Amino acid sequence: MAGIFKIVMKIKLDYPDDFHDYFSYRLVLILTCDRLLRQDKEMREYSMLAILVGLAIGIGLPMQTSINSRLRNSVGSPFGASLISFAVGTLFLAIMTLIDVHTLGFSTTLFTSQPVWIWLGGLLGVVYLTGNILLFPKLGSVQTVIMPVLGQILAGLLIDNFGWFDSPQSTLTMTRFLGAILVLAGVIITVAAQGWLEQRHNRITETAEKDTATDTDQSGLGIWRALGVVAGMLSAMQTAVNGHLGRVLGSTVHAAFVSFLVGTLGLIVIVLVLRPQFKLIRPTKTPNPWWVWIGGMIGALYVLGNVYLVPVVGTGLAVVIVLVGLMAGSLMIDQFGWFASKKNPISGVQLMGLLVMIVGVMLIRVF
C-alpha cells in the first residue's frame, strides 16, 4: 500500500491536469509504473557492476603489495619503492585523464568554493601506507591486518550514517551493524584462525608475535593497536574524500590522478627528509621481472575504482566489498604463489572465513 500511495502521489505532482480523468489516470499509472520498474532494474544492474568493480580492485590490492615487496627488495628502501609505485601510477592516470577529459588541470575556483579536505585523499593514502610499514614490526603480521580493517569498517559505517565528506547517507541499522561484525569476524578467521589452530597443536610457533610481546609491554601494544585502527579509519576517509572529488571534477579518472599526484608529492617530501639510499639490485641473482614496475598501475586502478564506487554504494559498503576482494586475492596469491610469493595452500578454515565475510556483505547490501 505504501508503494502504491507513493506512485499515486507522484502522478498527482507530475500530471495534475490529467489526474482526475479516469482513462488518463490509468494510462499515466501504467507508464509511471513501467518507468519506475525500469529505473529500479537499471539501479540493480548498476549496483551489481559496482560490486564486481569493488571485488576486482580488492583482489588487485594484495597483488600490488606482493609486487611492491619485490620492488622494495630491488631498490633497498620501502619509501623508495612507494615513491616509484606512486610515480608510475600518477603517470598512468595522467595518460588516462588526457584521453578522458583532454586536460590535467582544473578550475582554480575549486580552491575557494570547495572544502580543503577534498585535496587530502592522496596524503591519507600515504599515511596509511607508511602506518602499515611502522606497525608490522610492532604488532606482527596478523594484527597489522586486523587493526586497520577494524578502523576501515568503523569509519565506513560512521561516514555512511552521518553523511560525512558529502557521501551518500545510509542509516546504521542493527542488521547493517551485524553485517559489519560478520565481515570483521571473517577477516579474523581468514587471517588468524589457521595460525591459531596450528599453534594450538604445536605445529608452528608465532615467533614474531612472541618477540613483540616480550619486547613491548601491554600498554605500548595498546597504543600501537590504536594507531592501527586510526590508520584504517584514514583509509576509509580517503575512499570517501576521493569519491567526492570525483563528483566535483566530473571525472573519476581525473580525481584519481589528482589523488595520486598529491600522494606522490607527499612521498617526495618524505624521501627528501629521510634521504634513503636508492640502489637497483638483483636480490635473486636473476634479472628483475617486468611486472616489478606495474604495482603503481594496480594501485591507480584501486583508487580509480574507489572513486567510482562511493557515489553508487556509499563508503561503508565500498570498504567491505573491497575487503572481501582483498581477502580473496590474498588467498589466491598464497594458493598459486603468484609474483614470486611462497605457496601456502588455502585451508578450509580460511574458506569459511571468506564465506562469513560474504554473508556480512549481503546483510549490509540488502538491509
Side-chain angles (χ1 to χ4, degrees), residues 16-49:
D17 297 332
D18 297 329
F19 181 73
H20 296 290
D21 185 322
Y22 176 71
F23 295 103
S24 297
Y25 163 73
R26 292 191 64 185
L27 176 61
V28 170
L29 179 62
I30 292 171
L31 292 176
T32 302
C33 289
D34 179 68
R35 184 177 64 186
L36 293 176
L37 288 174
R38 282 189 284 108
Q39 288 177 348
D40 182 63
K41 181 180 178 181
E42 290 174 358
M43 286 303 298
R44 288 200 304 270
E45 292 175 350
Y46 202 44
S47 297
M48 182 57 64
L49 176 61

Side-chain angles (χ1 to χ4, degrees), residues 46-47 49-51 53 243 252 303-313:
Y46 202 44
S47 297
L49 176 61
I51 291 174
V53 169
T252 55
V303 173
L304 178 60
N306 272 314
V307 174
Y308 164 78
L309 281 175
V310 171
V312 179
V313 300

Side-chain angles (χ1 to χ4, degrees), residues 236-283:
M237 291 167 60
Q238 178 198 20
T239 300
V241 168
N242 286 343
H244 179 67
L245 181 61
R247 292 193 297 271
V248 170
L249 295 179
S251 168
T252 55
V253 179
H254 201 177
F257 163 72
V258 172
S259 178
F260 248 72
L261 178 61
V262 172
T264 301
L265 294 176
L267 275 169
I268 290 175
V269 173
I270 293 175
V271 168
L272 289 176
V273 172
L274 298 180
R275 297 183 181 276
Q277 291 184 351
F278 286 88
K279 54 182 179 179
L280 187 60
I281 60 176
R282 297 179 178 181

